[in-house]
Every structure is written in structure tokens, then in C-alpha cells.
């Protein structure tokens, strides 16, 4: 089992920026960020391949969010810019089960999850 420890998040005004970090113990594969707001389904936000050469984003965050990773630190980041009130949610990082670049924003690909970090965006 992969242990994922998240940090970052918090409260920001609309238009502001935040960075989320997720450190994975002993894991270097496909990783992603998801979010889930109260009463809504979990949504895949961004994913990054093992070596960081491939990334994908939900349409709702394209051009505003950037996923990246530092392999030396086993850490994945989510830089969130131009935040909107609708971005407010609990954000989770996740580590995939198995290799391959497919269904990267589907939660069914992911076996291990971080504890979640709350992001609040005020208008």
C-alpha cells in the first residue's frame, strides 16, 4: 500500500492561487488529483505520468491548474491559479494501480488515496 501525505490548500479569494503537494512513499507511477465537493461526485482534476512527460486535465481547470512532479522527492504538486468559487472542494491525491496511460481521470484507476485537503475560495 502506498502512503500519500498531502499538504497545502487553505482559503483564498477568487482569482488567487494555491499549491497542493502530495508525497508518496515508495511509489513513482501514475498519480492524479481529484476533488469532491459536498453532495457532488468525486471529479478527476489532473493526472501525471510516472516520468512527468504526460499530463491531462479536466476541462474545468485547463489553463488554470498545473500538475507536476519532483521524482527525487516522490512528490506531486498541483498549482492552482485564477481560482474560482466553484473550485472550492476537498482535494485528494491518488496513486494508480498498474501502468499505462488510460482512464487517467477515472477514480477506478486509483488504489491509494491521500487524506484530503480543503480548498476554500471566497468570492
Amino acid at each position: 500500500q502506498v502512503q500519500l501525505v498531502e499538504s497545502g490548500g487553505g482559503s483564498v479569494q477568487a482569482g488567487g492561487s494555491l499549491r497542493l503537494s502530495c508525497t508518496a512513499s515508495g511509489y513513482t507511477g501514475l498519480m492524479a488529483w481529484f476533488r469532491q465537493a459536498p453532495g457532488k461526485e468525486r471529479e478527476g482534476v489532473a493526472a501525471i505520468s510516472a516520468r512527468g512527460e504526460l499530463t491531462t486535465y479536466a476541462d474545468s481547470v485547463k489553463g488554470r491548474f498545473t500538475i507536476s512532479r519532483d521524482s527525487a522527492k516522490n512528490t506531486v504538486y498541483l498549482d492552482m491559479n485564477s481560482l474560482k468559487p466553484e473550485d472550492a472542494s476537498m482535494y485528494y491525491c491518488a496513486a494508480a494501480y498498474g501502468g499505462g496511460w488510460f482512464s487517467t481521470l477515472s477514480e477506478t484507476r486509483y488504489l491509494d488515496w491521500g487524506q484530503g485537503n480543503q480548498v476554500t475560495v471566497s468570492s
Side-chain angles (χ1 to χ4, degrees):
Q1 185 176 4
V2 178
Q3 291 193 335
L4 303 172
V5 179
E6 299 180 33
S7 61
S11 297
V12 67
Q13 287 190 328
S17 299
L18 286 172
R19 166 176 264 202
L20 300 177
S21 301
C22 176
T23 300
S25 61
Y27 180 81
T28 57
L30 169 66
M31 292 188 68
W33 288 96
F34 287 76
R35 66 186 181 187
Q36 187 169 23
K40 294 188 177 181
E41 292 186 355
R42 190 173 293 184
E43 173 191 19
V45 175
I48 189 165
S49 60
R51 291 189 296 273
E53 77 278 20
L54 298 173
T55 59
T56 190
Y57 298 90
D59 288 342
S60 57
V61 306
K62 279 181 182 176
R64 300 188 298 119
F65 290 13
T66 302
I67 189 170
S68 60
R69 70 191 304 161
D70 183 334
S71 297
K73 297 180 179 180
N74 278 354
T75 299
V76 174
Y77 304 97
L78 185 67
D79 289 298
M80 304 181 290
N81 298 310
S82 303
L83 282 160
K84 304 175 181 180
E86 52 263 43
D87 294 318
S89 191
M90 186 71 80
Y91 283 73
Y92 301 88
C93 67
Y97 176 77
W101 184 253
F102 62 91
S103 300
T104 49
L105 294 182
S106 171
E107 61 180 306
T108 58
R109 279 296 313 272
Y110 298 88
L111 189 63
D112 296 294
W113 296 82
Q115 80 277 13
N117 261 322
Q118 182 68 45
V119 171
T120 303
V121 184
S122 57
S123 57

